[in-house]
Amino acid sequence: MLLAFASLSAFGTAQAQPVITGDEHLAGDRPEAWAMNYFAAATFLTSFGQVGPLAPWKWSLAGEVGSIPRLSDDQRRVGFDGAKLEDLNKTPVFGRLRLTMGLPYASVAEVGYTPPLELNGARARNIFALAFGTRLIDRDPWTLSVRAFGQHGTVRGDITCPAQLAGVTDPTLNPYLCQAPSNDTYGVNYFGGDLTAGWNTGAWRWHTAFGLVHTDLDVQVDALTGGVRDRTHLFSSGYLRYVTLGGAYDFGPSWSVATEVLYVPLNVRRGPDADQENDPLTSVRLSVRYRFN
């Protein structure tokens, strides 16, 4: 009887807990939308050079990482239209595995996958990417390639209420009264395309690319603050441009390494009355690839 009474009491308490819900579609330059775009841009499936050369039905496997610059406190103050500090510095890098298959007509198909590793309370969940590319011009030493690509997946973590603040009673340290680590879900979905110009100089293959991406991002908040469960759902969508510059080098019959710098301009208005500014992502990226003979 005592156990049943305790269960009913707990159920009644849970039922009485206020819950905040609602969908909010954000303007592209809102601080929350800027943060979504910043981290989505860090996952862009860039070309790492000209398409191919890879013979039809041959395979290659690559591991790649890209830097995510650490954000200052001013940059992390994005919640509630720039009023609340969020725990955004979860990891300094983003990585994935990329499997490429050669197709006829100097084309390739690519599949990317981000392993579900947990870093500082954040974990990737089912982040898959897909791309198709082909060479439009192949006149040694010049090439011109085009690709279409997309990504679908989520990241889950304690972003709005980090674990280190859970239960802290000091209102200076915990002004939003986080009672437990949040379980927020960030959807990193996009599709787009790019155009890559390449040129060869000896063993090096240089490239520069321009891309346009349509983002479809959202954050499902799940946080317990001051006895209230926040289940607000935030959406942001739009178009982002990017440019890359880099090179690749073959250091054996099967192995190659490529590096590039990714630049993504991002507009943000830090406060309702603030002027719009460009606060971009600049990421240094590295890829190591093995071609199966």
Side-chain angles (χ1 to χ4, degrees), residues 88-172:
L88 300 178
N89 289 322
K90 292 294 189 181
T91 172
V93 296
F94 173 82
R96 67 162 56 90
L97 299 174
R98 190 186 301 206
L99 184 66
T100 304
M101 180 180 70
L103 298 174
Y105 306 109
S107 301
V108 299
E110 301 175 285
V111 177
Y113 174 67
T114 299
L117 303 177
E118 183 169 329
L119 295 170
N120 296 323
R123 182 190 295 270
R125 294 172 61 88
N126 301 319
I127 298 183
F128 288 93
L130 183 66
F132 293 93
T134 188
R135 288 193 182 187
L136 300 177
I137 298 175
D138 190 355
R139 297 175 182 171
D140 191 52
W142 303 98
T143 64
L144 185 66
S145 308
V146 64
R147 297 186 316 138
F149 56 85
Q151 176 177 277
H152 186 276
T154 62
V155 176
R156 184 168 291 178
D158 54 338
I159 300 169
T160 56
C161 274
Q164 60 267 30
L165 290 184
V168 174
T169 57
D170 186 341
T172 302

Side-chain angles (χ1 to χ4, degrees), residues 14-290:
Q15 287 291 96
Q17 184 184 89
V19 179
I20 298 174
T21 61
D23 297 335
E24 187 174 2
H25 294 265
L26 305 175
D29 60 358
R30 275 271 297 258
E32 302 97 322
W34 171 85
M36 292 186 207
N37 287 326
Y38 186 90
F39 290 99
T43 75
F44 281 175
L45 189 74
T46 56
S47 64
F48 273 103
Q50 54 194 273
V51 170
L54 193 61
W57 322 124
K58 296 295 185 179
W59 297 84
S60 71
L61 179 65
E64 61 188 63
V65 293
S67 66
I68 305 177
R70 186 174 181 84
L71 300 180
S72 68
D73 285 355
D74 287 342
Q75 291 173 308
R76 293 194 300 120
R77 202 173 299 279
V78 300
F80 302 128
D81 202 3
K84 180 177 180 293
L85 200 67
E86 307 290 12
D87 188 17
L88 300 178
N89 289 322
K90 292 294 189 181
T91 172
V93 296
F94 173 82
R96 67 162 56 90
L97 299 174
R98 190 186 301 206
L99 184 66
T100 304
M101 180 180 70
L103 298 174
Y105 306 109
S107 301
V108 299
E110 301 175 285
V111 177
Y113 174 67
T114 299
L117 303 177
E118 183 169 329
L119 295 170
N120 296 323
R123 182 190 295 270
R125 294 172 61 88
N126 301 319
I127 298 183
F128 288 93
L130 183 66
F132 293 93
T134 188
R135 288 193 182 187
L136 300 177
I137 298 175
D138 190 355
R139 297 175 182 171
D140 191 52
W142 303 98
T143 64
L144 185 66
S145 308
V146 64
R147 297 186 316 138
F149 56 85
Q151 176 177 277
H152 186 276
T154 62
V155 176
R156 184 168 291 178
D158 54 338
I159 300 169
T160 56
C161 274
Q164 60 267 30
L165 290 184
V168 174
T169 57
D170 186 341
T172 302
L173 299 175
N174 189 12
Y176 291 91
L177 305 178
C178 290
Q179 294 177 253
S182 59
N183 189 27
D184 310 306
T185 303
Y186 167 43
V188 283
N189 307 318
Y190 59 74
F191 63 88
D194 60 23
L195 194 66
T196 301
W199 61 100
N200 304 323
T201 56
W204 284 92
R205 301 187 305 276
W206 305 99
H207 71 273
T208 185
F210 169 79
L212 182 65
V213 179
H214 180 271
T215 60
D216 187 13
L217 313 175
D218 73 292
V219 171
Q220 174 62 69
V221 178
D222 186 5
L224 182 62
T225 60
V228 177
R229 181 153 308 269
D230 187 350
R231 292 282 298 165
T232 305
H233 199 181
L234 306 177
F235 297 88
S236 177
S237 62
Y239 289 90
L240 298 179
R241 299 159 294 149
Y242 71 82
V243 293
T244 64
L245 180 65
Y249 182 81
D250 293 332
F251 56 94
S254 299
W255 291 94
S256 65
V257 62
T259 185
E260 65 182 17
V261 176
L262 166 69
Y263 175 80
V264 186
L266 298 169
N267 293 326
V268 62
R269 195 185 305 273
R270 300 193 185 280
D273 300 321
D275 293 331
Q276 189 181 82
E277 60 181 280
N278 177 38
D279 192 352
L281 168 78
T282 302
S283 174
V284 178
R285 303 181 142 206
L286 178 69
S287 171
V288 177
R289 181 177 299 274
Y290 178 80

